[in-house]
């Protein structure tokens, strides 16, 4: 789900090459209000991950280390969500 700033043939073609159905608002045709219902979930998840500063700015050069920290952060988020101590 993307807003009108990403509405271009190049972006739509890139999505289709990856077998993704693009949901991009078109200027003058679609309202950005409809996309906001879905995009907040993605923005919220990024905010949760950015609580862990090591993931906010990628300092790790090795992709396996970055992936490990990302998976650890996801586990901590899931744990706090299940226990009920997550905001």
């Amino acid at each position: 789900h993307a807003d009108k700033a990403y509405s271009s043939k190049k972006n739509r073609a890139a999505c289709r090459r990856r077998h993704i159905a693009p949901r991009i608002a078109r200027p003058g045709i679609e309202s950005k209000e409809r996309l906001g219902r879905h995009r907040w979930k993605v923005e919220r998840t990024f905010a949760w991950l950015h609580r862990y500063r090591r993931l906010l700015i990628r300092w790790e050069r090795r992709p396996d280390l970055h992936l490990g920290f990302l998976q650890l952060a996801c586990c901590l988020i899931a744990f706090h969500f299940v226990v009920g101590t997550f905001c």
Side-chain angles (χ1 to χ4, degrees):
H1 295 280
D3 58 10
K4 296 175 186 181
Y6 296 100
S7 180
S8 70
K9 290 181 181 180
K10 181 180 174 182
N11 289 336
R12 290 179 187 277
C15 288
R16 288 190 186 100
R17 272 195 309 270
R18 293 174 178 88
H19 304 288
I20 299 170
R23 302 262 314 184
I24 304 172
R26 293 174 289 181
I29 299 173
E30 296 171 327
S31 170
K32 63 181 179 181
E33 303 300 323
R34 292 184 58 209
L35 293 173
R37 292 182 290 183
H38 303 286
R39 287 188 60 204
W40 74 271
K41 296 174 187 175
V42 175
E43 300 297 330
R44 175 195 64 192
T45 305
F46 283 144
W48 287 350
L49 287 172
H50 288 165
R51 290 173 121 182
Y52 302 97
R53 290 181 153 182
R54 194 163 198 144
L55 296 175
L56 182 61
I57 299 175
R58 184 175 173 173
W59 298 103
E60 307 299 330
R61 291 181 182 248
R62 292 178 37 196
D64 58 335
L65 289 177
H66 182 70
L67 179 63
F69 284 118
L70 180 64
Q71 289 173 339
L72 179 62
C74 290
C75 289
L76 290 172
I77 289 169
F79 174 74
H80 288 290
F81 188 76
V82 169
V83 173
T85 59
F86 200 74
C87 298

